Amino acid sequence: MAARSPITCHVLDSSCGRPGRNVPVKLEILNTAANNTWGGLATGLTDSDGRVGTLLDPSHQLVAGIYRMTFQTSDYWASVGVTAYFHPYVQIIFEVAPGAEKQHYHIPLLLSPYSYTTYRGS
Amino acid sequence: MAGGRSPITCHVLDSSCGKPGNNVPVKLEMLNPAANNAWASVAYGLTDADGRVGTLLDPSHQLVAGIYRMTFQTAEYWAAKGVTGFFYPYVQIIFEVVAGAEKQHYHIPLLLSPYSYTTYRGS
């Protein structure tokens, strides 16, 4: 398998059965040494397959810690002409545990206007 | 429906064992655009044996339109159950009470398992 970002994501719009494209995505890491503030790591925009191609460089070595991925879903709904939805954005907080820094972390988001599901994918 | 209830309610279900998520700390905040978009604490609770917080807000509380955030301290729940492998230390659900919809009821279910969760606007 070709090298890829150690953290990837995939937005699927389950209300229409298609990838969620042009969703702004932000990745941050909790900085426990800086009074638990969130430090920006990467931003991206999902492509036509609902994925962000290279959120992090394939050579980026993850450090253990708490990460937060934010999907600006209100921008997505506006772009597809949906005006009624419940969650203006989705934030998924996940942990890279010590010893697991070399694993891959895939964050799918199955999204519809009044519901969403996420899980640790691969 | 008879009997007043909190205008915002929640329900945690542990889908890994098919039981309610009890003793999950829950925090409700509201975004304050007038205070530089800081989150203001609105209420605090702990889920009961049925995975619900009985009275997060007083039944007489009138919601204002705006963006709310409900935080479930799921790490504590997993620790209490002896589960050490889980992906999400906590779950934050950001939802909107739109202008004109302040008198509606807002129910936030959380279907939780160690490596997945689902939420939706319930009733």
Side-chain angles (χ1 to χ4, degrees):
Chain A
M1 177 179 289
R4 53 176 176 167
S5 167
I7 298 178
T8 52
C9 61
H10 193 188
V11 183
L12 292 128
D13 181 347
S14 40
S15 72
C16 66
R18 287 200 283 272
R21 51 203 315 214
N22 293 327
V23 182
V25 179
K26 177 170 66 177
L27 179 67
E28 300 164 290
I29 184 170
L30 189 67
N31 191 342
T32 49
N35 212 26
N36 277 341
T37 52
W38 292 98
L41 276 184
T43 57
L45 195 69
T46 60
D47 60 21
S48 59
D49 193 33
R51 302 176 190 270
V52 177
T54 311
L55 204 50
L56 297 169
D57 192 85
S59 66
H60 180 108
Q61 176 51 62
L62 291 180
V63 297
I66 302 203
Y67 290 74
R68 181 169 75 179
M69 191 173 280
T70 303
F71 299 84
Q72 205 58 49
T73 48
S74 58
D75 284 22
Y76 170 73
W77 294 123
S79 75
V80 293
V82 170
T83 52
Y85 52 87
F86 196 40
H87 311 98
Y89 58 93
V90 172
Q91 276 189 329
I92 296 162
I93 297 96
F94 61 98
E95 182 168 13
V96 173
E101 300 93 335
K102 292 202 186 301
Q103 293 181 13
H104 183 78
Y105 293 84
H106 184 56
I107 310 294
L109 175 63
L110 312 180
L111 177 72
S112 75
Y114 288 84
S115 179
Y116 65 87
T117 289
T118 189
Y119 53 92
R120 183 178 178 187
S122 66
Chain B
M1 177 178 287
R5 54 174 175 166
S6 168
I8 298 178
T9 52
C10 62
H11 194 188
V12 182
L13 293 126
D14 181 346
S15 40
S16 72
C17 67
K19 292 206 271 278
N22 59 328
N23 293 327
V24 181
V26 179
K27 177 170 65 176
L28 179 66
E29 299 164 290
M30 184 173 179
L31 189 69
N32 191 344
N36 211 24
N37 278 337
W39 290 98
S41 191
V42 174
Y44 227 129
L46 193 71
T47 61
D48 60 20
D50 193 34
R52 304 175 189 271
V53 178
T55 312
L56 201 52
L57 297 169
D58 193 86
S60 66
H61 181 109
Q62 176 51 63
L63 289 182
V64 297
I67 302 203
Y68 290 76
R69 180 169 77 177
M70 191 172 279
T71 303
F72 298 84
Q73 208 58 48
T74 49
E76 299 198 19
Y77 171 75
W78 295 122
K81 292 261 163 295
V83 171
T84 52
F86 55 87
F87 197 38
Y88 314 98
Y90 57 93
V91 171
Q92 275 188 329
I93 296 162
I94 295 97
F95 62 98
E96 184 167 13
V97 173
V98 301
E102 300 92 336
K103 292 202 187 300
Q104 294 181 13
H105 183 78
Y106 293 84
H107 183 57
I108 311 293
L110 174 63
L111 312 180
L112 176 72
S113 74
Y115 288 85
S116 180
Y117 66 87
T118 290
T119 188
Y120 53 91
R121 182 178 179 187
S123 67

